[in-house]
Amino acid sequence: MKAFARLLLLVAAIIVVSSVHAAEFDEAPRVQAALEQGLAAEKGKGVGRNLWLAIRLYCDAATMGSPEGFMRIGRVLATGHGLARKPEVANAYLALAASLGNEDALKYYDSRHGNAELQGDCDALAGAEDAESEVSAFNMDAYLSKQSFDKQKIVRLIHHWAPKYQVDARFVLAIALAESNMNPTAVSPKNAQGVMQLIPATQERFGVLRPFDPEQNIKGGMAYIRWLERRFAGDWRLVAAAYNAGEGVVDRHAGIPPYAETQQYVRRVMHFAGMATEKSLRFN
């Protein structure tokens, strides 16, 4: 609960200091990727309709500082059916999103109900319904098959180059989905670029001269993943954590760091790649 409260204060502080409209937070590639994948689960586009999976993905976006993520959690809980309909909890998330500047939140706010007190973090919503098994229902192959022609080309490039770099193609695809949803023109606030979201230092380190060229970017990302696999003895959880937070952070914590964003990132990558196990979802 304390960690969640700190997250909310951080999000609010970022918005106040930067005076950025909430919608602009969606432009961060990792946030946008989680929102797009959550929408696919919410609407059943490319993957089976799964509201708990949608909540989990929207929670990932919210944890990265997205008011839109909080709004969409509220929307699912306000408009869902059965166990996924929780109007008081929905109101709490919608009120939070509105307070952070999201203009769409009030469209779904139902004044006939009160506001629940938020308990724990938003990830606990799905966990309360035993959604770990539900999240693993994200069918990456089905999702990829519904992507655009340009993204299909990226999928083929990853399958082509993965054996040459001695990396697992599904793991690379999972990283690409989590990083940018395979957007070759994506640029993050920290200037990470392209499909694999390589920062300039990583580009230089692995010989990437044209980061917005999908093939070069993918090859650079694979070279980095291969390097991380050697450093962390092939432990994909640590590789994913290092890709998200940096290998130095993983070294300092002697494992996956206690950061909500990184832990959710690892969970999402492992699920997308079909590598999730009970151990891979446990971080303590």
Side-chain angles (χ1 to χ4, degrees):
M1 184 65 180
K2 290 181 180 178
F4 189 52
R6 287 196 297 270
L7 169 65
L8 300 186
L9 289 172
L10 175 61
V11 173
I14 291 171
I15 293 172
V16 170
V17 170
S18 61
S19 299
V20 176
H21 188 277
E24 294 184 25
F25 278 77
D26 299 351
E27 299 304 317
R30 285 178 183 166
V31 173
Q32 189 63 39
L35 291 173
E36 289 173 1
Q37 292 149 9
L39 186 63
E42 183 183 357
K43 303 299 184 183
K45 296 181 178 179
V47 294
R49 188 167 187 258
N50 186 326
L51 297 183
W52 295 116
L53 172 57
I55 288 172
R56 176 63 54 76
L57 291 164
Y58 290 152
C59 181
D60 286 354
T63 301
M64 289 184 278
S66 169
E68 179 76 10
F70 287 117
M71 186 281 290
R72 292 191 185 188
I73 293 170
R75 181 178 70 194
V76 171
L77 295 173
T79 61
H81 301 284
L83 292 175
R85 182 171 175 79
K86 299 178 183 290
E88 291 84 6
V89 180
N91 277 354
Y93 278 101
L94 292 167
L96 173 59
S99 74
L100 296 175
N102 186 283
E103 297 174 357
D104 291 329
L106 294 181
K107 296 178 183 178
Y108 301 97
Y109 188 91
D110 189 344
S111 59
R112 295 172 299 177
H113 300 278
N115 290 17
E117 181 179 351
L118 296 179
Q119 300 291 331
D121 59 28
C122 54
D123 204 43
L125 274 173
E129 305 299 335
D130 192 27
E132 294 295 0
S133 59
E134 294 295 324
V135 174
S136 65
F138 187 95
N139 187 326
M140 185 167 69
D141 293 327
Y143 180 76
L144 292 173
S145 72
K146 300 297 183 181
Q147 299 305 300
S148 67
F149 177 77
D150 287 342
K151 289 188 177 182
Q152 295 288 343
K153 288 172 60 178
I154 289 170
V155 173
R156 290 194 292 272
L157 282 171
I158 289 173
H159 279 291
H160 173 76
W161 285 108
K164 296 175 174 59
Y165 281 86
Q166 298 180 303
V167 292
D168 186 281
R170 294 187 68 80
F171 185 74
V172 177
L173 283 166
I175 293 283
L177 285 173
E179 287 291 332
S180 71
N181 208 29
M182 300 188 302
N183 180 356
T185 63
V187 179
S188 82
K190 294 183 179 179
N191 202 29
Q193 299 171 346
V195 173
M196 304 298 289
Q197 286 292 278
L198 305 178
I199 61 173
T202 305
Q203 295 169 27
E204 182 177 1
R205 186 174 164 191
F206 294 101
V208 177
L209 300 178
R210 298 189 302 277
F212 298 111
D213 175 84
E215 188 165 15
Q216 272 209 21
N217 192 285
I218 288 165
K219 290 165 71 175
M222 287 184 177
Y224 183 36
I225 289 170
R226 180 59 180 156
W227 185 89
L228 290 172
E229 286 183 344
R230 292 189 179 116
R231 183 179 182 122
F232 295 111
D235 187 328
W236 278 323
R237 298 191 322 148
L238 297 182
V239 172
Y243 203 99
N244 175 264
E247 59 264 24
V249 174
V250 174
D251 286 339
R252 284 197 300 275
H253 289 278
I256 297 171
Y259 307 152
E261 177 186 337
T262 300
Q263 292 182 356
Q264 289 182 330
Y265 179 90
V266 171
R267 183 183 290 116
R268 185 151 47 115
V269 167
M270 297 299 284
H271 275 307
F272 285 175
M275 299 169 180
T277 64
E278 183 179 350
K279 177 184 176 183
S280 73
L281 302 176
R282 199 168 52 236
F283 303 116
N284 297 324

